[in-house]
Amino acid sequence: MRDSRGAEFDDFVRARSVALLRVAYLLTGDRHAAEDLLQEVLEQVYVRWRQVRTTPEGYARRALVNRAANRWRRRARRPEQTLGDMDRVEQDHADDVALRGAVIAALLTLPPRQRAAVVLRYLEDLSVADVAAALACSEGAVKSQASRGLARLREAFAGSDLVMSFANISRSSR
Amino acid sequence: MTMHDSDVRAILHRATDHVTGPPGLLDEVRRGGRRRIMRRRAVLAVALAVVVAAPVVGALQFPGTRDRGEVASPIFGQPTRGDLAGDKGYLRQVRERWLRRFEENALDEGLRGEPHVVWAGRTPAGPAAYVAQRTANNPVVSDPQGDRMVAVAAFVEPTADGPRVMAPESVTDAGTHGNSQAALLGPDRNVLLVLDAGAPVEFSPELRYTADGRIDRTFQPVAFRDGAAVLQVPPQRTKITVALARTPVSMANQVHITNATDILFPDGEDLPQPTFSHTLAGAEEVWGDKDVSEVPAFDAYYDAGGAHTHDRSPLLYIKGATPDGRRLLLQTIQYDDDPARVIVLLARDNGPFTVAASGLVDWKAPLPVQLRLPDEQGILVAAEGAALNYRIGAGKWHDAGRDAALLPDNATEVRVTPANGNASTMTTAP
């Protein structure tokens, strides 16, 4: 029997899974958890494909945010895993690993919705309206969440020479 | 130094540059999605917050629009049915328990009007009922379909302490498929109450398997009388052997039992089912991007209308190719603590899959899967985590890789070396 999801679903997964995985990674702070989260969400998309096929990415993003937040609530009762233990660091440059660690650590200090607002706004470059759709809240709420989140990130990054020097280099190279 | 928005963008991008898609994601997602569909059909999770329930009697609709309005529905528009419809004492007791249930666990949506006893009747387990009440608010509970919650409904079961309201389900304006229409009653859960929703329903009391592992059920029509049917069934305390489905019987037409989840998952936790999937050498060339998400040849092995756990048994899934160029697909299926079955399908070119071999799996054996394929296409073996070798007669041992392999048809012995354990050697299946 032919699968009604067909090539359209496959194309969606192939085209968007890396971007969604990156979002999941910053929401969870853990590569393996991010992969699990993404797979769960894409399975959910698969099941509901007929309903969401016109806007699969929006649906997936929203599910990612919700599941990441729920995961966080559950995880709060369990010991944290160390990022370095779980991540694939062996192939990476030491500075990149350190930068990544600092970014993840800073993001994890944000409440889940602030974190999601920042990640969707500044990693995914989504408009305020699209972030509002993903977070199921008003655009005003997104603006305040992103702004608070950004302020806290700036504070956290200010204490990291590595992050600041990266920002400096990055800006001077533009 | 002030950090600009663009700096934050650059840092977030740099922190995720290393993240690439996991290999095999699409296959895993399709397989997982397909499992979810099967599970949704097999076991209904009855949690009030997430259930998009269906009307029990007829379709609920807002008149005219989907905006909030009076709910016109036979569920509220008809008098109580059942042989206790005139028993004012019992009905009063049921309504009291209902109201108390929602006083103790208030609904966010609120309730309005009076609870309506849709059905009340005698059963061998004691008096039972089905009750519904409109909600004060009608929030959208299904995204993106936009279905609105319009009422809440539940079965009421007999207990030593009197009537007890079972898991309430939200009722939406959407329509009906897939909602609880039955309940297992009594301490032994050996009385099956099925509400009459206006469509023919068939019932099978026992799950059996044929010698080759196919599902072997006998269905009989459910005879409704005055709004419901009451069936005596074997005890279903920890495992559900009964199956219920609207006609024609199929997974999609399953009639859900409201307390199936409580029986199957008494601690509230679904059991994790580890998945092992392997792609054998040469598979990609034959498979290309062909889809495997829905394979009708497996249908005879799935229990349409039944509700089960997987009992933590692994799901093994292998994609491969035969020496003569056919696509090969292996999958295990297990319900509850019944034996796990393994089925191998083959398909030529773009043709449909047909069953080529099947058998039982002993997960504790050194080599859980060993199946000889027809037409001298080889012997399919699988042992998760183990190194596999084979030989022909007294010849030398050949490396067959790890986890799973398709051995030559004339292999006579296979050696299995687990990651942490001693090697076992066994003769191949005749």
Side-chain angles (χ1 to χ4, degrees):
Chain A
M1 186 164 66
R2 201 176 126 72
D3 181 5
S4 58
R5 290 155 192 88
E8 230 181 336
F9 176 80
D10 295 2
D11 290 346
F12 165 67
V13 173
R14 287 192 191 105
R16 297 305 303 157
S17 58
V18 172
L20 290 169
L21 182 60
R22 289 175 176 174
V23 171
Y25 174 62
L26 292 187
L27 293 181
T28 62
D30 179 308
R31 172 66 186 260
H32 291 184
E35 288 182 4
D36 289 349
L37 187 65
L38 177 63
Q39 186 170 336
E40 283 175 22
V41 164
L42 291 178
E43 286 175 9
Q44 201 176 326
V45 172
Y46 177 91
V47 171
R48 294 179 173 229
W49 183 250
R50 265 170 286 198
Q51 288 90 33
V52 306
R53 63 193 306 170
T54 52
T55 55
E57 188 155 4
Y59 179 88
R61 239 184 250 127
R62 191 163 166 173
L64 266 186
V65 170
N66 287 338
R67 279 180 176 256
N70 291 335
R71 175 187 169 276
W72 212 251
R73 278 197 286 272
R74 289 199 300 274
R75 193 174 164 170
R77 294 193 291 271
R78 293 187 299 178
E80 288 289 326
Q81 287 170 310
T82 309
L83 179 74
D85 291 345
M86 297 298 293
D87 212 348
R88 296 167 185 169
V89 297
E90 64 277 8
Q91 297 163 2
D92 297 320
H93 190 275
D95 282 354
D96 281 345
V97 174
L99 176 76
R100 198 182 306 152
V103 170
I104 293 292
L107 280 171
L108 293 187
T109 65
L110 305 184
R113 291 178 72 78
Q114 270 184 27
R115 191 183 319 143
V118 168
V119 170
L120 294 178
R121 273 295 276 143
Y122 298 106
L123 176 72
E124 281 277 84
D125 278 332
L126 292 188
S127 68
V128 170
D130 286 342
V131 178
L135 298 183
C137 65
S138 68
E139 294 185 19
V142 169
K143 286 176 190 164
S144 60
Q145 296 274 17
S147 154
R148 276 188 227 132
L150 207 53
R152 286 178 67 167
L153 274 190
R154 283 188 180 118
E155 280 172 31
F157 288 159
S160 166
D161 292 343
L162 185 73
V163 174
M164 294 311 286
S165 67
F166 171 75
N168 217 6
I169 293 164
S170 164
R171 201 178 317 143
S172 62
S173 68
R174 284 196 292 268
Chain B
M1 188 187 85
T2 305
M3 185 175 275
H4 301 294
D5 289 5
S6 56
D7 297 329
V8 174
R9 274 195 182 87
I11 288 166
L12 295 186
H13 280 281
R14 181 66 176 266
T16 55
D17 275 351
H18 70 296
V19 176
T20 53
L25 176 69
L26 181 58
D27 277 348
E28 290 292 336
V29 165
R30 282 187 156 277
R31 201 153 39 244
R34 185 171 157 270
R35 266 202 312 280
R36 280 169 187 253
I37 290 170
M38 301 305 295
R39 287 174 56 80
R40 273 158 60 113
R41 291 168 182 171
V43 180
L44 177 71
V46 193
L48 176 61
V50 297
V51 164
V52 177
V56 170
V57 183
L60 285 166
Q61 293 293 339
F62 285 109
T65 72
R66 287 169 69 84
D67 295 334
R68 187 180 165 187
E70 187 60 35
V71 179
S73 165
I75 217 173
F76 298 108
Q78 291 187 350
T80 304
R81 301 177 77 184
D83 60 4
L84 291 177
D87 187 331
K88 289 182 181 170
Y90 176 68
L91 298 187
R92 187 172 55 249
Q93 207 181 359
V94 165
R95 289 193 188 100
E96 282 170 7
R97 292 297 175 103
W98 174 273
L99 293 173
R100 196 188 305 167
R101 166 74 172 72
F102 289 103
E103 277 168 15
E104 290 166 0
N105 299 286
L107 269 188
D108 289 344
E109 295 78 13
L111 294 170
R112 67 191 172 105
E114 292 296 316
H116 174 56
V117 181
V118 179
W119 180 90
R122 294 183 181 85
T123 80
Y130 187 79
V131 183
Q133 186 169 2
R134 292 184 177 92
T135 52
N137 298 308
N138 307 120
V140 172
V141 292
S142 169
D143 181 41
Q145 295 91 335
D147 304 334
R148 287 180 180 278
M149 180 176 180
V150 295
V152 63
F155 284 87
V156 177
E157 66 175 333
T159 72
D161 295 330
R164 177 185 164 273
V165 178
M166 300 176 82
E169 296 183 353
S170 54
V171 177
T172 76
D173 61 339
T176 68
H177 233 55
N179 194 54
S180 300
Q181 191 187 325
L184 282 160
L185 306 177
D188 289 336
R189 300 297 184 203
N190 61 346
V191 174
L192 183 61
L193 169 61
V194 188
L195 290 180
D196 183 0
V201 172
E202 292 199 345
F203 156 74
S204 163
E206 278 188 277
L207 170 61
R208 292 188 298 267
Y209 302 92
T210 61
D212 64 354
R214 290 165 207 256
I215 297 295
D216 180 19
R217 279 194 180 276
T218 305
F219 280 89
Q220 58 202 60
V222 172
F224 292 110
R225 193 166 146 264
D226 200 12
V230 177
L231 305 166
Q232 197 83 46
V233 298
Q236 313 278 305
R237 283 186 299 264
T238 58
K239 185 172 162 178
I240 295 178
T241 64
V242 300
L244 272 177
R246 284 177 284 275
T247 55
V249 173
S250 69
M251 293 269 191
N253 284 342
Q254 181 182 13
V255 168
H256 295 287
I257 298 169
T258 190
N259 49 345
T261 308
D262 301 333
I263 292 168
L264 296 172
F265 309 112
D267 56 1
E269 289 282 327
D270 196 349
L271 300 172
Q273 185 187 29
T275 301
F276 304 135
S277 60
H278 304 282
T279 301
L280 300 178
E284 296 302 335
E285 290 84 344
V286 176
W287 277 82
D289 57 0
K290 289 187 180 67
D291 178 61
V292 293
S293 60
E294 291 180 33
V295 180
F298 281 129
D299 287 354
Y301 298 87
Y302 290 127
D303 184 24
H308 305 283
T309 70
H310 298 284
D311 217 33
R312 289 182 196 271
S313 65
L315 175 70
L316 177 64
Y317 195 89
I318 298 174
K319 259 171 78 172
T322 56
D324 68 358
R326 281 181 275 179
R327 284 180 288 148
L328 177 157
L329 188 59
L330 174 148
Q331 188 177 321
T332 57
I333 301 174
Q334 182 174 13
Y335 291 135
D336 309 308
D337 54 358
D338 295 349
R341 296 156 289 146
V342 56
I343 303 106
V344 178
L345 308 179
L346 295 179
R348 199 179 291 281
D349 301 324
N350 289 319
F353 278 104
T354 55
V355 178
S358 63
L360 295 179
V361 183
D362 178 1
W363 292 112
K364 291 176 183 161
L367 188 61
V369 171
Q370 185 186 177
L371 286 171
R372 184 174 286 278
L373 304 186
D375 308 325
E376 300 177 341
Q377 293 304 299
I379 303 160
L380 190 54
V381 293
E384 183 65 21
L388 299 166
N389 297 81
Y390 73 91
R391 69 175 175 174
I392 301 163
K396 68 172 187 175
W397 287 98
H398 299 275
D399 181 8
R402 302 191 77 85
D403 303 320
L406 181 56
L407 308 182
D409 194 62
N410 56 352
T412 51
E413 284 184 291
V414 56
R415 189 169 67 201
V416 183
T417 311
N420 299 307
N422 298 325
S424 310
T425 302
M426 53 214 77
T427 53
T428 55

